[in-house]
Amino acid sequence: MFTTSRRITAVTMGSLLGLAMLAAPATGAGSAGADRQHSVPDPVPDTVTDLVDGQIDGTVGAEMVDRAFTGDGRVETTIRIGPIVASPHEEGDHGTHGDGPRGPEEKAHGTHTTIAAPVPTPCLGITCQVTSVEPDLTYADGSRANYDTDIMLHHAVLFDRSREDITCADETLGLAGQRIFAAGNERTGGQIPEGYGLPIGPVPLLWSVVELENFAPEAQAVFFDMTVEATPSLLDSGLTEVTPVWWDVANCTFDSHHHVPEGESTTTWQWESTLTGTLHAAGGHLHDGGDTLTLHNRTTGDELGASHADYGNDPAYLGHIDTMTTCTDGNLGTITQGDTLELVSDYHSHYPQHNAMSIMIGFVEETD
């Protein structure tokens, strides 16, 4: 269960924004909740924009574009963030694509655009339990944006400002709130095992950071989409709450970048656990050249989970990383407060990288 000490009580601006969102009328027609649209005001709270000052290029709005009941008490909601206008790549070659064993032989060069955006709560004014999130990057007509259209989703992070982050609570980044979901261009979905859910409160205090890389000489307008499946808590779903825990080789930095050399390399990061419970699901994110992310409990000697990268499965990726496996067996191992957890990142890169990433997010049922 969540403990009181992990809740952020000083939300002031965020609370005011949340109340404003709740008061905002939904638009659209049809049966209640079936195709309603719910917009979020463009501005991100001052406390957030101050935190990421100098790190983002601007803010955009977000909209709930589809909402339907699945028949088993769950609600499926599609949220679109954008339009995000990715700056043109006006100078230099964008590099090569190809079908190497771990991505192209050369680095692709593009122009980066990073935005922040508020995100509407998927359950509109009531607490709910999120059980899955499926991300995507699309154009206004719904077609997918990817390397084959000269753009990629560098990364996206979803924060809950009502709760403290588990592994960055005492750091500056912890002021952003709890990191609850992330996606790279491989667009791995977050699936929590049956019987468990991630609690989201009734007041909209979610926000996101999205970074794009555009390889085209002209600007491109795209949307970051999330299809969220959740169960309203008022239905007494019986789901057990899980806590998201973020493990990161470059933890508590805004961009999560770290260096990897050309060739084979291993990078590690350790964290002394501040919670006790059972890990039920985990998934990772790597860049081109990445092989495997593995989480170990060094105190017990157990391997808790491994997330493997794969390439060449989808032509739209032009040989770049397109898959990261997830661990959703439901019982990956136990963690006790004070245990030393170690994240091990294995790369075999064709070139040196200064902005590699090695991130794993897991969902823990707290028992103490």
Side-chain angles (χ1 to χ4, degrees):
M1 297 292 289
F2 287 94
T3 59
T4 304
S5 62
R6 293 207 176 100
R7 293 186 180 274
I8 298 175
T9 56
V11 292
T12 54
M13 281 296 296
S15 296
L16 292 175
L17 177 67
L19 292 173
M21 291 181 197
L22 289 177
T27 60
S31 60
D35 57 356
R36 296 164 63 187
Q37 294 184 345
H38 186 72
S39 298
V40 176
D42 285 349
V44 175
D46 290 341
T47 50
V48 171
T49 53
D50 288 346
L51 176 66
V52 298
D53 184 39
Q55 305 280 354
I56 64 170
D57 299 301
T59 61
V60 300
E63 187 176 35
M64 188 182 296
V65 296
D66 188 36
R67 191 164 186 260
F69 292 92
T70 62
D72 57 358
R74 300 182 182 184
V75 180
E76 187 174 274
T77 303
T78 300
I79 297 168
R80 300 197 90 185
I81 296 173
I84 308 168
V85 179
S87 299
H89 185 57
E90 297 176 334
E91 298 181 3
D93 186 14
H94 68 260
T96 61
H97 306 293
D99 295 324
R102 297 175 184 84
E105 297 290 332
E106 299 178 18
K107 178 177 174 57
H109 299 285
T111 296
H112 292 251
T113 300
T114 304
I115 61 89
V119 177
T121 179
C123 291
L124 290 179
I126 58 175
T127 299
C128 62
Q129 304 269 12
V130 171
T131 53
S132 73
V133 181
E134 295 292 335
D136 207 351
L137 189 69
T138 63
Y139 293 102
D141 63 1
S143 61
R144 302 189 80 190
N146 210 327
Y147 278 106
D148 63 344
T149 63
D150 285 328
I151 196 168
M152 59 93 77
L153 173 64
H154 192 275
H155 75 276
V157 184
L158 184 62
F159 298 83
D160 181 355
R161 297 185 66 237
S162 71
R163 300 181 188 273
E164 288 184 343
D165 192 79
I166 299 299
T167 60
C168 281
D170 298 326
E171 303 290 337
T172 300
L173 186 65
L175 298 174
Q178 190 175 72
R179 294 167 292 180
I180 63 175
F181 178 73
N185 196 57
E186 65 277 10
R187 309 172 200 198
T188 306
Q191 182 70 46
I192 298 175
E194 192 72 26
Y196 300 91
L198 173 67
I200 299 295
V203 177
L205 289 172
L206 304 180
W207 72 287
S208 62
V209 171
V210 180
E211 181 179 355
L212 307 175
E213 188 171 2
N214 187 15
F215 307 104
E218 64 279 340
Q220 297 203 63
V222 294
F223 295 81
F224 177 63
D225 301 339
M226 292 183 292
T227 300
V228 182
E229 187 177 87
T231 299
S233 297
L234 58 81
L235 298 179
D236 190 21
S237 64
L239 297 180
T240 300
E241 293 184 2
V242 289
T243 300
V245 183
W246 184 287
W247 298 290
D248 187 341
V249 162
N251 199 39
C252 304
T253 60
F254 181 80
D255 56 19
S256 290
H257 290 167
H258 71 95
H259 175 77
V260 296
E262 181 179 357
E264 295 185 36
S265 65
T266 297
T267 307
T268 63
W269 174 80
Q270 290 188 343
W271 172 68
E272 183 178 316
S273 178
T274 57
L275 48 72
T276 295
T278 301
L279 178 64
H280 288 293
H285 169 59
L286 296 168
H287 283 188
D288 281 345
D291 277 333
T292 306
L293 269 175
T294 310
L295 184 67
H296 299 268
N297 187 329
R298 294 304 187 192
T299 301
T300 64
D302 295 331
E303 178 182 309
L304 298 177
S307 182
H308 303 278
D310 202 6
Y311 304 78
N313 300 293
D314 187 336
Y317 287 80
L318 303 182
H320 295 269
I321 185 171
D322 59 29
T323 305
M324 289 294 300
T325 63
T326 59
C327 304
T328 56
D329 293 340
N331 189 346
L332 304 181
T334 58
I335 301 168
T336 302
Q337 184 175 348
D339 283 356
T340 297
L341 302 190
E342 183 174 61
L343 184 65
V344 178
S345 171
D346 293 315
Y347 268 79
H348 191 163
S349 180
H350 296 300
Y351 45 83
Q353 300 185 47
H354 69 278
N355 61 349
M357 286 184 170
S358 301
I359 300 168
M360 181 175 282
I361 186 168
F363 297 93
V364 175
E365 175 193 358
E366 293 193 61
T367 55
D368 189 11

